[in-house]
Amino acid sequence: MKRLTLIALAITFIATVFAAKSPYQAVLQHSRIRGRSQGPNVCAMQKVQGTDKKYYTNCKQWYHRKICGKPTVVSYECCPGYERVIGEKGCPAALPLVNIYKTLGVVGSTTTKMYSERAKLQEEIEGPGSFTFFAPSNEAWAALPAEILDALVSNVNIELLNALHYHMVNKRLTSDDLKHGAAFPSMYQDFDVHIHHYSNGIVTVNCARLVKTDQHATNGIVHVVDRVITAITNNVNSIIDTDDDLDTLRTAVAAAGLTSLLENEGTYTIFAPTNEAFEKIPPDTLTRILGDPVALKDLLNYHILKNLHCSESIVAGTPLETLQGTVLEVGCNGEGMTLNGKAIITEKDKLGTNGVIHYINELLIPDSAKTLLELAEGSVVTTATKLLTDAGLTDHLIGSESVTLLAPLNDAFKGKSLTVTPDMKRLLRNHILKSKFSSKGLYHGQELETLGGLKLRVFVYRNNLCIENACIAAHDKNGRYATMFIVDKLLTPPMGTVMDVLKADNRFSTLVGAIQKAGLTELLNKKGTYTFFAPTNAAFSALPPADLNKLMIGDPREMANLLKYHIGDEFLVSGAVTSHTRLTPLAGDKLELGMFNSTVYVNRVPVVEGDMMATNGVVHAVDVIVKPMPPKVLSDQPAVSEFRRASAVKTGPVVMKDDDLFQKIRRSKSIRTVSRIQ
């Protein structure tokens, strides 16, 4: 016990230490732990294969060996501030503490050092002071467009000097001082540099990632960054206003009344659709959305994240909340960002004073701006929407009616005729509810009126929510005016009582006679919530002729008890059945239900056709007379699903003596009666 207490205290202490560190320092500490086998002050780094990108490693990346979905190679380098000594293990020596100019050479930022000399900055960064220098790496200078680099080096005393001064702050700032959302005046006309310190340990300045941090100098500190940064003077709305490639977006922002939002203070991320992105949308759809202020505002807000995310902050797929209220999956695939899994970002990190813009070549349309027909496009309910269109119900799919579509999955139509007959058209009209509903607002016993005039019942189960026999298979899709519920089956609305259902099906002719003999006709015609595992003619035929004859001409009470064992006084459609569902019959012990390979079993007997809906219950056909389960015997052996075992053997006719079955039912009924008396 004492040892466990000490371990718990140690874990708490470690967690407290890590919690006190900045996200960057926590990741750096993890890299130190992973690198300590290589010697003192060694940090493990992960390099993305096929790129020059290296990262200190966090726990998740270490075990997955992936960053941005790409495999990584682990390397071991000296942690910040240390260097190797020939003949010794690890990085035992601290880097020499020299001025910033010399430190630039020590950390490998030799191009910045060269340009500092050319721009007459050397004397300043060799002299007294306390500066922070965000020094572009050699690769960052090499990546600059030639025309920009030429403009800088052709006017070293002004343009290049100003550019370098913008990379400097007149105070010493360690990585711990670089708080998320902070801004510090640079040494170029006090224009701010903008810091973002993300929870995954990534730190950026003006969206440039810090790749080597905390390189201390006698007169300040150097952080090496992966790109050359430029002064930020405009807000994101000004950027949109002045970019010809965003003409359509500019018009849409003004029409939606979002101009002031994008001018005011904030930390937004905007995925800005280019003119090309808008042109890809069908003209009718685009005209409808642009002419609908509510849909347009939803569409634009769906392109705006609540928080600022530079591209370098994304190292794995992350769901991020939009102003519209839903989320976008922002990820990466090596060098580039992805949006909802698509590589549609054409330009990134256009930073403004109140946010960042990433350009995209594909418009993102949220569900809340779509018609029912648009909600269904490219989804798993295309068969249903084609049938609805063929049935002349298109106006309900593209109009402004407040309706709810019950859209069966494509798989629900397997083996069914897709010809739009008058009966099919009536059925399809009953898949459209007259009001717009949310599944979260539905309750057990609620009735929903359809365009066809029927009232459909709602059944709420522990594991499912069903409308008649069709259970909701996915989250609601809420469109501009209408909602779509994706359901697992084609509806079979009730057309009569349980007795009516049985009489209408020739498979139950023997059963109908048995019900009449047992005096249960009135029961199955009156109001109720019955679940009837109805034996087909085949089930009765499977009995030995003598037993069947005795059953049919014997005591009606025995027949009644047998049939009541097949009837539960609770409404259970197949979607309500889980692996261990129990149902109390009108006579006898509980029925044990289960689901295996999409088949419902009752006491190991498979249901051959389920969900024949009635106004007072539901009928499930079985080809075997259901008998009570044998008593369970406790065993040390692992339990095996009864229904899995049942599926492993061919279920044939169950031959039994009627007397045995009646005795079991009578005995269980007697036990229950005694229990009630006690």
Side-chain angles (χ1 to χ4, degrees):
M1 179 63 75
K2 188 174 182 180
R3 184 179 178 185
L4 289 174
T5 303
L6 290 172
I7 292 172
L9 288 171
I11 292 171
T12 303
F13 174 75
I14 292 169
T16 303
V17 170
F18 271 87
K21 293 179 181 292
S22 68
Y24 167 78
Q25 288 294 339
V27 171
L28 182 63
Q29 179 65 20
H30 182 267
S31 289
R32 280 181 175 274
I33 292 171
R34 295 300 176 187
R36 62 189 174 189
S37 61
Q38 306 298 311
N41 305 314
V42 175
C43 285
M45 301 198 74
Q46 287 182 267
K47 180 181 178 182
V48 181
Q49 289 186 16
T51 74
D52 293 324
K53 287 189 171 185
K54 291 182 180 179
Y55 297 84
Y56 292 116
T57 178
N58 62 32
C59 189
K60 184 176 180 180
Q61 291 165 352
W62 178 261
Y63 285 110
H64 286 188
R65 289 293 199 274
K66 282 187 177 181
I67 294 175
C68 280
K70 299 291 185 182
T72 59
V73 177
V74 175
S75 62
Y76 297 94
E77 301 183 8
C78 293
C79 296
Y82 295 91
E83 64 180 350
R84 296 188 183 277
V85 175
I86 295 175
E88 294 191 33
K89 187 177 182 180
C91 304
L95 285 171
L97 197 64
V98 293
N99 59 51
I100 285 179
Y101 179 73
K102 290 181 179 178
T103 300
L104 292 174
V106 171
V107 298
S109 190
T110 54
T111 305
T112 300
K113 183 180 181 184
M114 176 188 69
Y115 285 144
S116 297
E117 184 180 355
R118 284 197 198 179
K120 311 299 184 191
L121 184 64
Q122 178 179 346
E123 184 178 347
E124 184 176 355
I125 58 178
E126 282 182 330
S130 183
F131 309 116
T132 297
F133 202 148
F134 297 103
S137 64
N138 294 346
E139 294 79 10
W141 287 107
L144 266 186
E147 62 273 14
I148 294 178
L149 187 59
D150 289 344
L152 291 175
V153 298
S154 63
N155 191 349
V156 293
N157 293 328
I158 298 177
E159 297 297 338
L160 184 58
L161 181 61
N162 289 342
L164 291 172
H165 267 149
Y166 184 65
H167 288 75
M168 295 176 63
V169 175
N170 197 14
K171 65 192 294 189
R172 184 190 300 263
L173 299 170
T174 67
S175 59
D176 280 341
D177 298 318
L178 302 178
K179 307 295 185 185
H180 189 68
F184 300 98
S186 73
M187 294 177 65
Y188 169 58
Q189 297 184 10
D190 286 338
F191 283 128
D192 283 344
V193 292
H194 300 267
I195 306 298
H196 293 94
H197 193 145
Y198 297 96
S199 60
N200 58 7
I202 300 293
V203 184
T204 64
V205 52
N206 287 22
C207 286
R209 181 167 68 95
L210 276 62
V211 293
K212 290 182 181 179
T213 58
D214 297 328
Q215 308 293 333
H216 289 271
T218 55
N219 57 347
I221 194 167
V222 174
H223 305 291
V224 179
V225 296
D226 68 352
R227 70 183 75 167
V228 178
I229 62 175
T230 55
I232 308 302
T233 56
N234 293 323
N235 59 47
V236 290
N237 191 69
S238 296
I239 296 172
I240 293 171
D241 265 349
T242 55
D243 194 327
D244 291 340
D245 204 22
L246 301 177
D247 283 343
T248 309
L249 177 61
R250 178 167 58 252
T251 302
V253 167
L258 293 177
T259 302
S260 59
L261 174 77
L262 302 184
E263 288 176 336
N264 295 334
E265 288 187 8
T267 54
Y268 303 117
T269 299
I270 301 173
F271 294 102
T274 60
N275 298 338
E276 176 194 357
F278 281 98
E279 289 165 4
K280 291 178 180 178
I281 301 301
D284 289 347
T285 300
L286 186 58
T287 300
R288 177 183 63 78
I289 294 175
L290 292 177
D292 180 348
V294 174
L296 180 60
K297 189 171 184 178
D298 267 4
L299 180 139
L300 294 176
N301 281 336
Y302 188 54
H303 289 75
I304 305 173
L305 301 181
K306 287 186 173 182
N307 298 301
L308 193 151
H309 289 273
C310 297
S311 63
E312 289 295 335
S313 72
I314 305 299
V315 294
T318 308
L320 299 174
E321 190 175 358
T322 68
L323 293 186
Q324 184 256 351
T326 54
V327 298
L328 291 174
E329 181 77 16
V330 183
C332 48
N333 59 0
E335 291 284 356
M337 292 176 74
T338 60
L339 204 52
N340 288 346
K342 297 180 179 179
I344 59 175
I345 295 173
T346 56
E347 186 179 345
K348 56 192 179 183
D349 296 332
K350 204 90 174 262
L351 192 63
T353 55
N354 60 344
V356 64
I357 297 176
H358 307 295
Y359 289 56
I360 59 175
N361 62 9
E362 187 175 302
L363 192 65
L364 308 172
I365 304 179
D367 286 350
S368 59
K370 292 179 179 179
T371 64
L372 278 175
L373 193 60
E374 290 164 351
L375 286 175
E377 287 174 354
S379 71
V380 291
V381 296
T382 50
T383 303
T385 49
K386 183 181 185 306
L387 285 171
L388 288 160
T389 302
D390 292 345
L393 299 173
T394 307
D395 287 348
H396 301 294
L397 304 183
I398 63 174
S400 56
E401 287 180 278
S402 292
V403 296
T404 301
L405 173 64
L406 307 180
L409 292 164
N410 292 339
D411 286 348
F413 292 92
K414 284 183 178 178
K416 292 182 169 59
S417 171
L418 301 183
T419 303
V420 182
T421 61
D423 285 344
M424 174 62 84
K425 185 171 181 178
R426 278 193 295 273
L427 180 59
L428 291 171
R429 285 180 62 81
N430 287 320
H431 281 74
I432 303 176
L433 308 178
K434 282 188 174 181
S435 299
K436 183 178 181 180
F437 293 99
S438 163
S439 64
K440 294 183 183 298
L442 300 182
Y443 57 88
H444 192 76
Q446 185 177 3
E447 291 187 338
L448 311 174
E449 190 173 358
T450 72
L451 292 183
L454 290 182
K455 290 190 176 179
L456 305 177
R457 298 160 295 182
V458 176
F459 303 109
V460 179
Y461 301 107
R462 185 179 297 277
N463 64 309
N464 238 331
L465 191 155
C466 306
I467 299 171
E468 294 298 336
N469 62 303
C471 299
I472 294 176
H475 293 297
D476 301 2
K477 292 180 79 69
N478 293 301
R480 172 66 179 93
Y481 299 104
T483 299
M484 183 167 72
F485 294 165
I486 297 175
V487 294
D488 61 352
K489 295 182 184 71
L490 196 63
L491 278 173
T492 55
M495 303 307 291
T497 65
V498 168
M499 200 64 195
D500 293 330
V501 171
L502 298 175
K503 284 180 177 180
D505 193 325
N506 291 331
R507 291 176 299 171
F508 301 116
S509 57
T510 306
L511 175 61
V512 169
I515 290 170
Q516 291 168 343
K517 170 182 170 58
L520 298 179
T521 303
E522 184 180 349
L523 174 74
L524 298 179
N525 271 325
K526 72 177 185 180
K527 187 175 181 180
T529 54
Y530 304 117
T531 299
F532 196 170
F533 294 98
T536 62
N537 296 342
F540 286 100
S541 297
L543 294 173
D547 292 343
L548 176 60
N549 186 56
K550 181 179 178 183
L551 181 63
M552 298 306 290
I553 65 174
D555 188 344
R557 289 175 299 180
E558 301 292 358
M559 175 67 83
N561 282 337
L562 173 67
L563 295 180
K564 285 180 179 179
Y565 187 63
H566 290 70
I567 304 172
D569 193 11
E570 182 182 348
F571 207 125
L572 285 184
V573 297
S574 57
V577 178
T578 61
S579 57
H580 296 288
T581 302
R582 290 189 170 187
L583 177 65
T584 302
L586 299 182
D589 260 344
K590 287 186 177 180
L591 298 169
E592 296 194 13
L593 279 59
M595 179 77 75
F596 184 69
N597 284 346
S598 302
T599 298
V600 174
Y601 287 79
V602 51
N603 286 12
R604 303 187 196 175
V605 173
V607 170
V608 294
E609 183 181 346
D611 297 332
M612 290 174 273
M613 307 301 290
T615 55
N616 61 342
V618 59
V619 175
H620 305 293
V622 292
D623 279 344
V624 177
I625 298 291
V626 178
K627 66 175 182 178
M629 296 284 286
K632 291 186 178 179
V633 179
L634 294 177
S635 170
D636 293 334
Q637 297 299 317
V640 179
S641 169
E642 299 290 348
F643 304 104
R644 188 178 297 275
R645 289 203 300 269
S647 68
V649 297
K650 183 177 179 181
T651 305
V654 178
V655 180
M656 69 190 98
K657 290 186 178 180
D658 293 313
D659 290 344
D660 292 343
L661 176 57
F662 296 148
Q663 288 299 325
K664 287 182 180 178
I665 294 172
R666 189 183 297 117
R667 186 161 53 249
S668 64
K669 188 176 180 183
S670 300
I671 291 170
R672 289 194 322 185
T673 303
V674 171
S675 300
R676 283 198 296 270
I677 292 172
Q678 290 175 338

